[in-house]
Amino acid sequence: MAFFGFKDLSSLSNIDMTIYRYVTQNSDKVVYMRVRDIAQNAHVSSSSVMRFIHKIGFNSFPEFKAYLKNNTLQHKPKNTKFTYINESNFPKDIETRLMIVANTVFQSDNITTVGMGDSAFLAEYAARRIASLGFNTTAVTDPFYPLHAKLGNTTNNIIFCFSVSGETTELIELINEFVNDEDVKIVCITSNENSSIAKMSRYVLNYYEKTRRLNNYYDMSSQVPVMYIIEGLDRILENMIKK
């Protein structure tokens, strides 16, 4: 569910989305702010902030802050012995990002998931899940696969790139030909939002996870956050199909 329980993100203007992102990323601070403080930090006008608050269903600023305060307190990560994933593993606007990407997938004709090494298994898993929902989906795990030739005569494509580091050379070379292609939208799933692949992508679904290597070679980093992103995207797509 979207933050504030508001789901119709497509109805929000660019200014509304600027405020939405600022509030969701700084909810613990916003609960103590005035309208003009939010406006100043989000680089919008105070009247824009109030229009946004009314648009998402609140009658007043105090009502908005009361909801935000309760929601922030209820969703604080809990320290438990067997907690392998929580809100701290993701950007605060991850639900918004997933919603935007899901809308893009829903309108696409062809979906390709690509990944190398350990990420290859995740690319295949994502492709199978999305295909199960009725979307034309293909997984590519071969760095020499002629992807450009395959998509050459198609339009309205989306490519999901799975890379923990976001610096996989073979993957960079594979998607490089699509960076300026208007018929292809690239989505990156990575732990490094400032990586080369992230910068080449239209959308970035990043997560935070400490890198662990065995004998300085074998990557033992947890892939649980990636699974969360895949299944979170699937859940949104499934709900969209049912409507």
Side-chain angles (χ1 to χ4, degrees), residues 198-243:
K199 292 176 181 178
M200 297 168 72
S201 303
R202 176 79 62 91
Y203 306 110
V204 178
L205 299 173
N206 66 294
Y207 56 94
Y208 309 121
E209 182 64 37
K210 184 177 180 180
T211 300
R212 295 190 300 111
R213 289 192 174 275
L214 186 62
N215 299 326
N216 295 320
Y217 182 74
Y218 300 108
D219 189 355
M220 299 297 289
S221 305
S222 173
Q223 299 293 342
V224 173
V226 184
M227 299 293 285
Y228 177 93
I229 289 174
I230 293 172
E231 297 193 14
L233 180 64
D234 291 345
R235 182 67 60 86
I236 296 173
L237 286 170
E238 185 177 357
N239 290 334
M240 294 172 69
I241 293 171
K242 291 178 179 178
K243 289 184 178 179

Side-chain angles (χ1 to χ4, degrees), residues 41-203:
N41 283 282
H43 305 293
V44 298
S45 67
S46 295
S47 58
S48 294
V49 173
M50 288 307 303
R51 281 195 294 271
F52 165 77
I53 289 171
H54 291 148
K55 184 176 291 187
I56 62 175
F58 295 97
N59 294 320
S60 66
F61 184 62
E63 180 184 341
F64 165 77
K65 286 186 66 175
Y67 173 90
L68 191 61
K69 185 175 182 179
N70 290 334
N71 186 274
T72 300
L73 292 174
Q74 290 174 4
H75 290 82
K76 282 187 176 180
K78 297 180 180 179
N79 294 320
T80 58
K81 185 176 181 180
F82 297 105
T83 298
Y84 296 103
I85 186 171
N86 56 43
E87 289 92 336
S88 66
N89 289 100
F90 304 98
K92 291 186 177 180
D93 64 339
I94 187 64
E95 290 187 356
T96 301
R97 298 191 194 189
L98 283 170
M99 185 70 73
I100 293 172
V101 171
N103 279 315
T104 304
V105 171
F106 195 76
Q107 298 171 26
S108 297
D109 295 325
N110 305 287
I111 302 160
T112 306
T113 63
V114 297
M116 311 297 164
D118 289 347
S119 293
F121 298 100
L122 295 165
E124 291 177 333
Y125 179 71
R128 184 179 182 87
R129 299 274 298 194
I130 297 173
S132 296
L133 295 172
F135 296 94
N136 181 26
T137 314
T138 303
V140 173
T141 59
D142 176 1
F144 303 107
Y145 186 85
L147 187 58
H148 189 264
K150 175 181 172 59
L151 301 181
N153 295 319
T154 62
T155 59
N156 206 16
N157 299 288
I158 182 169
I159 298 176
F160 283 91
C161 302
F162 291 84
S163 175
V164 175
S165 68
E167 299 293 346
T168 308
T169 302
E170 295 85 355
L171 190 54
I172 291 173
E173 294 176 352
L174 185 64
I175 67 172
N176 185 55
E177 295 181 274
F178 301 103
V179 172
N180 296 314
D181 190 333
E182 295 182 357
D183 291 323
V184 179
K185 296 179 180 65
I186 302 173
V187 181
C188 177
I189 296 89
T190 181
S191 66
N192 186 0
E193 62 182 329
N194 297 311
S195 63
S196 299
I197 294 177
K199 292 176 181 178
M200 297 168 72
S201 303
R202 176 79 62 91
Y203 306 110

